[in-house]
Every structure is written in C-alpha cells, then in structure tokens.
Amino acid sequence: MLTEPTPKYVKCFVSAALAVTLAGLFTAPPAFARIAANTIDSQAIVTDNGHHIIVTGPIACAESERAFLRITVTQRETGAVAEGSTRITCTGDAQQWEIHASVQNQAVFEEGPATAVALAHTTDRGDITDAHQWLVDITLAGE
C-alpha cells in the first residue's frame, strides 16, 4: 500500500537533492572553451588594386592545440568576395592572426564597409576539439 509522502519527507528530499546539485556545481571542473577571445579586427586593408584583403584579429586557444582559421570577406556595394586561411599553434594566451584573402570572383574591393566571417576549428594531436564561427562588420581601408 502506497501512501502519500508527508511534507516533512518531501522537504528533506528536495533539500538533499539541492545540496547534491550545488556540490556538483562547485566541485566539478569548469568547462574550458577551446576557442576564446575571438573576433575580427574592425578594419582590414585592401591591397593589389582591390584583389586582396588583409584581415586580422585575436584568438585564444588551449596550449598544444592548433587552430585552423578560414575567412570570407564580402562587400555588397561591389559584389566582391575574398577568401583566405591560416594555421596557428596555440599558446594558451591571446594571439593575433593575419590572413591574406584573395578575390574569388571578377569584382574588386573598394574602401568602405564590408562583412567578414571567420570559421575556426582546433585540433589536439589530430583530434578536433572545437569549432566556432563568427561574423563582424568591418571597414576596408587602403594601404
């Protein structure tokens, strides 16, 4: 025969469950974001008569990992699209990256507003550990 638990026992059960949950929160190691401090610098440089863009930004990733970054820059006013990529050996601290992106179509870039999208993934001994994508409105400036 099942009986309804008394409020006293329910209160004790809820209190015990809450204590176990809180203990787990404070004793469990924090999750480490493998790709951190990532963005794209707000200004990029147009070179080679609008056929290349130099894009930079910071990234932080766990020491001993490698980061693979790919960037795409688009400019709506001209229809230009550029892509480029680089690799970084992570140090555990914020590092500056630089990518030279080349135009992928017939249009060329001009000074002014553009959009940059970065995609990065990290590896540790060949195993992928994280992937992240971000988008930033940038301004293109001449050399």
Side-chain angles (χ1 to χ4, degrees):
M1 170 180 196
L2 294 174
T3 61
E4 293 279 326
T6 63
K8 176 181 169 187
Y9 292 116
V10 171
K11 188 184 263 186
C12 289
F13 178 74
V14 170
S15 296
L18 182 60
V20 169
T21 302
L22 289 175
L25 288 175
F26 292 112
T27 60
F32 180 75
R34 303 214 189 280
I35 298 173
N38 57 301
T39 191
I40 301 166
D41 290 338
S42 63
Q43 187 170 7
I45 306 299
V46 179
T47 66
D48 193 24
N49 295 317
H51 290 93
H52 292 93
I53 306 291
I54 301 171
V55 187
T56 59
I59 190 168
C61 41
E63 187 175 3
S64 82
E65 290 185 326
R66 293 188 61 116
F68 298 86
L69 285 92
R70 173 166 294 285
I71 191 120
T72 301
V73 179
T74 58
Q75 189 172 48
R76 293 188 76 161
E77 290 77 15
T78 65
V81 176
E83 294 181 342
S85 61
T86 193
R87 294 179 204 184
I88 295 171
T89 300
C90 303
T91 63
D93 294 321
Q95 298 170 254
Q96 193 73 6
W97 53 264
E98 179 177 288
I99 294 177
H100 293 249
S102 299
V103 169
Q104 301 296 304
N105 58 12
Q106 298 299 318
V108 293
F109 287 92
E110 298 174 354
E111 292 184 17
T115 302
V117 177
L119 172 66
H121 73 271
T122 52
T123 61
D124 187 5
R125 296 178 196 88
D127 294 327
I128 294 178
T129 56
D130 194 13
H132 188 65
Q133 180 174 339
W134 58 102
L135 177 141
V136 175
D137 290 326
I138 62 173
T139 300
L140 301 179
E143 294 185 84

